[in-house]
Amino acid sequence: LKMFSLGSWLPALPGLAWGWALLDALLQGLVGACAVSVLCSLLKVYLYIQCLNDPERQAEKEAIRAQRWVLELLHVVVLTGVLALVGSRAAALVVLEFSLRAVSTVLSLGKGAHSSQLYLLCQYSLGCGMSCGLGFLLEGAPHGTCNLALAAGLAGLLATYARRLARHVCTLYELHSRARYCGICILLLASGHGIPRLLRNALAITFAVADVAAVALINRDFLSTAEAVRFWTPLTICYTLLVIHMQEEPRQSTDGRTVYQTVLVRMGGLFILLLTVGRWTDVLHILVSLLGEFWCLLRAGVMLEACRRQ
């Protein structure tokens, strides 16, 4: 049977396994990409309704409506490939870094306040979190590939319906909200303001599970406590410095380049850290993660601008 396995005929590449392991990585990446798609679709619905209700933000409303729906599928495909290429250690580090930064940002906001921009900044980290969580929960499962296939099917179904909802709102909400004969639009008219709270609760649960999975995935590679301490000590210092640096930046910047500079600082810090205490494959995966972050931010550029002006 080994003679006919996929891995026996293909060259060995560092950080990439062939056969069933490759299929599992692709399915995990697909689930993560679908989760990002659902997040963006719901945020698009919320921001469109907010812009529609504000006469001074009609240009932003038209920009959100003008986004090409065909590119959504390309976005999911590219993000699936990126998440499949990123190793579990690099994905775990991205998840932990964002979780710490998100907690610091939420605590710095006023009571009851929320930042829609933070939801868009967590896109790639959310994909990594879904991948880490599934990898940890299904590790050693006898039918792990089948479970991942079912999860990918469910995630794809949710992403499809969320995308259809966003398309319906951008096309017909303005008419239906006045005519009051569409059940979906009437529901959004009454409770559309609760979308950020729904996303906040869902993301809190997702990242709580992902953080536990990330710590477990990182610690399984250490043979002793001393080795773990040598890794976690500089990592903690690096994360602390990153959070302090982020807090010194303005919370609402009018310059879109600040978002990309923040990504460079975050990934640059992890890159330098892994050059000293990590493996060279981890360094390569951090570079792939940088591309993934930029890809998500470029796709959500219009919504990021709307969030900054909110």
Side-chain angles (χ1 to χ4, degrees), residues 20 22 109 121 126 128-129 151 160 169 172 191 195 231 245 250-252 274 286 295:
W20 292 111
L22 176 59
L109 293 173
L121 297 180
L126 173 62
C128 290
T160 301
V169 169
L172 298 172
S191 57
I195 291 179
F231 180 85
H245 176 77
R251 295 176 185 174
Q252 299 291 337
L274 293 177
I286 288 297
W295 176 257

Side-chain angles (χ1 to χ4, degrees), residues 231-263:
F231 180 85
W232 282 107
T233 300
L235 181 67
T236 304
I237 296 174
C238 177
Y239 282 172
T240 303
L241 293 177
L242 285 175
V243 170
I244 294 175
H245 176 77
M246 301 307 164
Q247 289 298 321
E248 291 177 353
E249 294 182 351
R251 295 176 185 174
Q252 299 291 337
S253 174
T254 58
D255 189 358
R257 291 177 297 179
T258 304
V259 176
Y260 297 96
Q261 293 172 358
T262 300
V263 173

Side-chain angles (χ1 to χ4, degrees), residues 5-22:
S5 65
L6 181 62
S8 62
W9 293 93
L10 295 174
L13 296 177
L16 182 62
W18 300 105
W20 292 111
L22 176 59

Side-chain angles (χ1 to χ4, degrees), residues 65-243:
R65 175 188 288 179
Q67 287 184 301
R68 296 183 179 180
W69 302 98
V70 180
L71 296 178
E72 299 255 343
L73 181 59
L74 176 63
H75 177 67
V76 171
V77 171
V78 173
L79 190 56
T80 298
V82 171
L83 292 174
L85 286 174
V86 174
S88 59
R89 280 165 59 93
L93 291 176
V94 171
V95 170
L96 292 175
E97 186 274 332
F98 178 81
S99 298
L100 184 61
R101 186 161 52 95
V103 170
S104 176
T105 302
V106 170
L107 292 178
S108 65
L109 293 173
K111 183 178 180 181
H114 68 273
S115 175
S116 299
Q117 186 174 351
L118 184 63
Y119 299 143
L120 290 172
L121 297 180
C122 82
Q123 291 179 77
Y124 182 74
S125 301
L126 173 62
C128 290
M130 294 296 294
S131 181
C132 283
L134 287 173
F136 174 72
L137 294 174
L138 297 177
E139 186 176 13
H143 304 290
T145 303
C146 295
N147 294 332
L148 284 173
L150 291 174
L154 178 60
L157 188 64
L158 291 175
T160 301
Y161 278 106
R163 191 161 51 247
R164 288 180 180 177
L165 173 65
R167 186 181 308 176
H168 176 85
V169 169
C170 291
T171 306
L172 298 172
Y173 178 82
E174 189 172 2
L175 173 64
H176 289 175
S177 60
R178 291 197 301 262
R180 304 289 180 96
Y181 64 82
C182 174
I184 295 176
C185 294
I186 292 176
L187 178 63
L188 290 174
L189 183 65
S191 57
H193 60 277
I195 291 179
R197 183 172 63 252
L198 172 66
L199 292 177
R200 182 179 67 241
N201 296 335
L203 289 174
I205 296 174
T206 301
F207 277 102
V209 176
D211 289 337
V212 175
V215 173
L217 289 173
I218 293 176
N219 284 334
R220 72 179 181 182
D221 294 330
F222 300 132
L223 301 178
S224 64
T225 304
E227 187 179 355
V229 170
R230 283 196 299 269
F231 180 85
W232 282 107
T233 300
L235 181 67
T236 304
I237 296 174
C238 177
Y239 282 172
T240 303
L241 293 177
L242 285 175
V243 170

